[in-house]
Amino acid sequence: DTGVSQDPRHKITKRGQNVTFRCDPISEHNRLYWYRQTLGQGPEFLTYFQNEAQLEKSRLLSDRFSAERPKGSFSTLEIQRTEQGDSAMYLCASSYTSGRTNSGANVLTFGAGSRLTVL
Amino acid sequence: EDKVVQSPLSLVVHEGDTVTLNCSYEVTNFRSLLWYKQEKKAPTFLFMLTSSGIEKKSGRLSSILDKKELFSILNITATQTGDSAVYLCAVGAQKLVFGQGTRLTINP
């Protein structure tokens, strides 16, 4: 296992098109996270899954964004009707925690990201 | 809403200098504070701190947490050009809330 993999690494699209990003987490990890990072800012939380269940979504995630993790392994993040403001790096991360309401710390391992440019 | 503020936002020093990066936070339910290093791609994990006053060290890097004053510092001694990166501080448990990052540039 070589870590968290994301595909594609770069995507250029025209405004109004749909895009989909894929994330393959570390195989032993049961949690998967999506973050968005714009230039000069830290990553912003979008959503996360434990196994196949989506446990939390940020209010940043408008109805144009949808994420799935159908079999509890890889995940997809789809953006419909892209806007120029969607241009950012989309980072995926994974971790292993035991229990749904983990009270302990949680070290996330990040992928290299998918950079989206909307023209 | 949980908040993390890092300072300075940018720092330029000469190789061999010692630097201190700051992170203050406001969270409703503190679990842990993490430091990450981000070069051009994925943030890579440096430290996780959960207890006040206990220093974590890894080579030339060290970090400490003050839960009473709600801040952490990351120290890098004898800096090298390879330390040039954005250093991110984050707090949380199930999800992490990140600060804006400190962009550190080490000049030879």
Side-chain angles (χ1 to χ4, degrees), chain A residues 28-48:
Chain A
E28 312 86 71
H29 286 182
N30 56 355
R31 286 197 173 176
L32 187 148
Y33 300 77
W34 286 100
Y35 281 80
R36 179 173 67 189
Q37 187 175 27
T38 53
L39 201 61
Q41 301 297 316
E44 295 176 295
F45 171 77
L46 293 178
T47 188
Y48 86 98

Side-chain angles (χ1 to χ4, degrees), chain A residues 9 31 33 35 37 40-43 45 48 56 59 91 101-108 110-112, chain B residues 1 31-32 34 36 38 40-43 45 48 50 88 92-101 103:
Chain A
R9 295 293 308 281
R31 286 197 173 176
Y33 300 77
Y35 281 80
Q37 187 175 27
Q41 301 297 316
F45 171 77
Y48 86 98
E56 187 172 345
R59 62 177 180 273
L91 292 166
T101 54
N102 174 53
S103 60
N106 192 13
V107 178
L108 275 59
F110 283 86
Chain B
E1 187 174 318
R31 297 293 186 196
S32 58
L34 292 85
Y36 283 82
Q38 186 174 29
K40 292 186 179 177
K41 300 175 184 176
F45 172 73
M48 180 174 68
T50 56
L88 295 164
Q94 284 77 26
K95 70 181 190 201
L96 295 180
V97 176
F98 284 84
Q100 193 173 355
R103 178 171 295 280

